[in-house]
Amino acid sequence: MPQRPAPKRGFRRERTRRSERSTAGRKPMFDELAALDTKIVALIKERSAHLAKIRSKGGMDSVDEKSIWSIWQRALPKTRGGASIWRKLFFLLQDLEPEPEEDNRASDGFLLAPRRGPYVLKLDPPRTLAGMQCLAALGACEEFSIAPAVVNERLVQTVKAFNQTGAGLYWESDQLSGRGAEELSYRDKSVFVGDDSLAFHLILARCLAEPGSVKFTGGHLLKTADLTLLARLLPRLGGRLVNIIPGSKGLPVRVEASGQLPDEVLIPEELPSEAVLGLLMATPFYPEGLTLRSENPSPALRATFDFAASILTACSIKVDVRTSGDGYAIGVKPGTPVIPKSLPVDAGLGAFLLAMPRLDPSGESTVTLEGSWPEETGAYATALEMLRAAGVVVESDASSLRSSTGQLPPEAPRLDCAGVAELFPLSFALAASMPASIIDKPDSNEDLFTCRELADSLGLRIEEGDGVLRIENIGRQDDSYVEPWVAPNAWWAVAYAAMSFRRPGLVLADPSAATDLLPRFWNFYNTLPSPQSGVFYMPKREAGNETNEPERKGRRIRIPNS
């Protein structure tokens, strides 16, 4: 883990002076809003602590929760959009953990101060993390073993979800395996999918192949998710999604399937990439396969199609990709997957590692990654274009990649991530390391807010243009205190660590945001400048003898009707 920073003297006085400067000249109405928000935050903390006491003394059952919800329901606005936001707020408050009383925000967090370069790194990087989840879905009933594999929380949730339906998956140390199973069974089951969207869509799409009904439950992120587009798509696939909580758009849901699937389906352009990937990983198990068609796919959707095609092809599944004008169709034939021994490097984490020569102020670092990189495919091609635009020299062959520092572009380069979500935070980190650059304006309001928040704290100037953000590095005015920053997701946590190479002393409030994605990320970070090649994988001595293997079940024997 990164080391905890020592409290800095005089920071309270400095923060007060900053607050006075920032509030000077504000209109009274904004001061009133700030006062209201202060009261709201205090009430939320009080509610969270009181709810924790109730749960410690026997908990709150569904009847109690419905009683509390009825208070909110009476105050709900009549408009559908407003009511949906209030419901999300209620569920978020129900899942909010209280802060420990001794928690002191001033000294909270972890100091990001990497050892100085130059770095000469030769690494065996993580293979595609989403691809490992896809292999778990494809190999749910197969005998296979993949090592090394990064066993993160997302993969664990996928394995556990499929095992609830009869799969034979398990993990041990840095290995993902399957012991084989007869078949999956969904009918009349309740499946808990955790908080991972891809795990949910992988297992939901698989249940459409047979008639029946299955209930899906999950964590608070999926409870507050909006599954409207999925609900509109399922009738085209012979299914129906029913929200168990009236008015809710997220989990829990009941999915009813007829088992009657079409030959081809037109998917909505805005359908989340996890839903598209889930469908394509399920199509080998549909009786006649399936073709997914898009009339005008976005770059991000094309990247998802390309990624899915590469995974299925690696598993010996026949894939037919057709393009016509702006249209795109991908057809998948039914078949039995043959799980490969390895996959390409993860595009998002690989791009971060390849970017290190640009992020390192010495300008003399080199990074060599072992493994394949399908550079003409989707996110992989986008990542290389973005890195080269930032002045990173990348050379590749069939089994490795090497990056080094090249010349800075004479003008502000365009660091285009083509809608690939995991690359956007890195594009911002690269922009923060350069005098001036242009990045995509994110579709997500949360990402846009994060950019503005980081720009204020890092001394960057942001100008919004037509679909882009121009970022200029004007330098920080005062480094005497850095507020611990809460990363909105794992990719932003990794990007914040990337920014610390040129701005040592940044403080990350919750480093587990990165380890949820890559459990040994901080092992790599803290052993710079000379981490071991296999630093991202768990050594056998750390894993112990624990084997997360499902309990073996007796073989089912079918008795024909007499």
Side-chain angles (χ1 to χ4, degrees):
M1 282 289 184
Q3 55 185 320
R4 188 178 295 275
K8 301 203 180 273
R9 293 184 178 181
F11 71 87
R12 292 185 184 276
R13 190 181 310 112
E14 175 59 28
R15 290 175 69 192
T16 302
R17 288 199 296 269
R18 285 191 187 184
S19 178
E20 290 171 354
R21 289 197 299 268
S22 64
T23 56
R26 281 186 179 176
K27 295 180 180 179
M29 66 178 67
F30 289 101
D31 292 333
E32 292 175 12
L33 179 62
L36 285 171
D37 278 3
T38 300
K39 293 178 182 178
I40 290 171
V41 169
L43 286 171
I44 289 174
K45 287 185 175 181
E46 184 179 350
R47 183 189 191 277
S48 178
H50 190 72
L51 183 58
K53 290 179 182 178
I54 293 174
R55 288 173 173 164
S56 68
K57 295 181 179 180
M60 176 182 286
D61 60 24
S62 60
V63 175
D64 295 330
E65 189 169 55
K66 287 179 181 178
S67 177
I68 297 296
W69 168 240
S70 67
I71 298 172
W72 288 63
Q73 207 165 21
R74 288 193 292 270
L76 286 180
K78 302 302 180 185
T79 57
R80 179 175 295 181
S84 174
I85 293 174
W86 279 82
R87 288 188 185 92
K88 286 185 179 181
L89 179 59
F90 175 76
F91 289 126
L92 288 172
L93 289 176
Q94 288 297 100
D95 289 331
L96 185 64
E97 295 288 338
E99 288 186 2
E101 292 183 3
E102 66 275 9
D103 183 24
N104 185 354
R105 185 116 180 125
S107 60
D108 198 15
F110 292 88
L111 183 66
L112 300 179
R115 294 183 179 90
R116 293 185 177 275
Y119 310 121
V120 180
L121 305 181
K122 295 183 179 181
L123 301 168
D124 184 8
R127 300 314 188 251
T128 166
L129 302 179
M132 285 295 175
Q133 290 180 261
C134 292
L135 290 191
L138 290 165
C141 297
E142 307 303 319
E143 292 186 9
F144 70 94
S145 181
I146 303 174
V150 171
V151 180
N152 62 10
E153 186 61 27
R154 303 178 185 194
L155 181 59
V156 168
Q157 289 180 358
T158 305
V159 168
K160 288 182 176 180
F162 272 95
N163 283 351
Q164 291 171 63
T165 65
L169 301 168
Y170 64 98
W171 71 93
E172 181 181 8
S173 182
D174 61 350
Q175 179 176 312
L176 172 67
S177 303
R179 60 170 175 78
E182 290 295 319
E183 60 184 17
L184 303 185
S185 175
Y186 293 89
R187 186 174 297 179
D188 300 327
K189 287 194 173 181
S190 178
V191 179
F192 180 78
V193 294
D195 247 337
D196 185 65
S197 179
L198 180 55
F200 165 62
H201 286 96
L202 285 168
I203 196 165
L204 179 145
R206 189 75 173 265
C207 80
L208 299 176
E210 63 179 52
S213 173
V214 58
K215 177 182 176 182
F216 292 100
T217 61
H220 76 275
L221 292 178
L222 289 178
K223 287 180 183 177
T224 56
D226 188 348
L227 303 178
T228 303
L229 288 174
L230 181 64
R232 292 175 183 170
L233 174 66
L234 286 188
R236 306 180 200 173
L237 296 165
R240 186 167 77 108
L241 185 146
V242 181
N243 291 101
I244 294 175
I245 299 175
S248 170
K249 295 183 180 180
L251 299 188
V253 297
R254 185 176 69 255
V255 174
E256 300 167 354
S258 67
Q260 302 297 314
L261 291 155
D263 296 327
E264 181 178 289
V265 64
L266 178 67
I267 62 171
E269 302 301 324
E270 303 83 9
L271 191 67
S273 60
E274 295 91 347
V276 176
L277 199 53
L279 276 173
L280 289 170
M281 293 304 113
T283 48
F285 307 98
Y286 295 165
E288 304 297 329
L290 183 67
T291 296
L292 267 62
R293 183 169 57 86
S294 175
E295 294 180 342
N296 187 22
S298 64
L301 182 55
R302 282 181 177 270
T304 302
F305 281 149
D306 291 342
F307 177 75
S310 68
I311 296 294
L312 292 168
T313 302
C315 293
S316 302
I317 298 296
K318 292 183 178 179
V319 179
D320 179 24
V321 175
R322 303 189 302 273
T323 58
S324 176
D326 293 331
Y328 194 111
I330 175 169
V332 181
K333 300 296 183 183
T336 301
V338 178
I339 306 302
K341 294 294 183 182
S342 185
L343 285 174
V345 174
D346 186 85
L349 291 170
F352 159 73
L353 296 171
L354 293 171
M356 286 187 64
R358 169 59 61 209
L359 299 169
D360 169 36
S362 75
E364 300 175 5
S365 294
T366 60
V367 175
T368 302
L369 303 182
E370 300 174 7
S372 63
W373 185 282
E375 55 185 79
E376 297 182 359
T377 302
Y380 294 95
T382 300
L384 289 187
E385 290 175 9
M386 183 177 73
L387 291 169
R388 287 166 175 158
V392 180
V393 177
V394 183
E395 303 168 304
S396 64
D397 56 35
S399 59
S400 66
L401 296 95
R402 184 181 184 275
S403 68
S404 57
T405 309
Q407 293 291 325
L408 271 174
E411 298 181 356
R414 173 73 183 270
L415 306 179
D416 187 357
C417 63
V420 180
E422 59 266 32
L423 293 178
F424 178 76
L426 178 61
S427 73
F428 184 89
L430 285 168
S433 71
M434 304 169 68
S437 54
I438 297 171
I439 65 173
D440 299 337
K441 184 176 180 180
D443 294 330
S444 162
N445 288 330
E446 183 179 38
D447 281 341
L448 183 58
F449 177 83
T450 301
C451 291
R452 292 169 178 163
E453 180 187 26
L454 288 176
D456 287 343
S457 65
L458 300 177
L460 305 175
R461 180 187 291 121
I462 287 186
E463 296 178 1
E464 296 187 25
D466 184 16
V468 298
L469 300 177
R470 179 182 175 86
I471 298 179
E472 295 183 15
N473 199 333
I474 59 176
R476 285 184 55 84
Q477 300 299 313
D478 187 355
D479 291 314
S480 61
Y481 176 76
V482 178
E483 180 78 14
W485 185 66
V486 179
N489 58 44
W491 293 110
W492 273 112
V494 171
Y496 201 58
M499 295 178 220
S500 72
F501 288 103
R502 289 183 181 265
R503 289 175 171 82
L506 298 179
V507 182
L508 187 62
D510 183 13
S512 68
T515 54
D516 286 345
L517 178 73
L518 191 61
R520 292 179 59 81
F521 178 80
W522 299 118
N523 297 75
F524 160 74
Y525 185 90
N526 285 340
T527 53
L528 288 169
S530 53
Q532 295 181 354
S533 173
V535 66
F536 293 109
Y537 302 102
M538 185 179 293
K540 297 290 185 182
R541 64 178 181 275
E542 289 188 23
N545 297 320
E546 180 182 2
T547 301
N548 299 280
E549 185 170 1
E551 180 183 352
R552 292 183 178 270
K553 299 178 181 179
R555 184 174 180 178
R556 290 183 293 175
I557 301 175
R558 295 182 181 273
I559 301 176
N561 295 327
S562 55

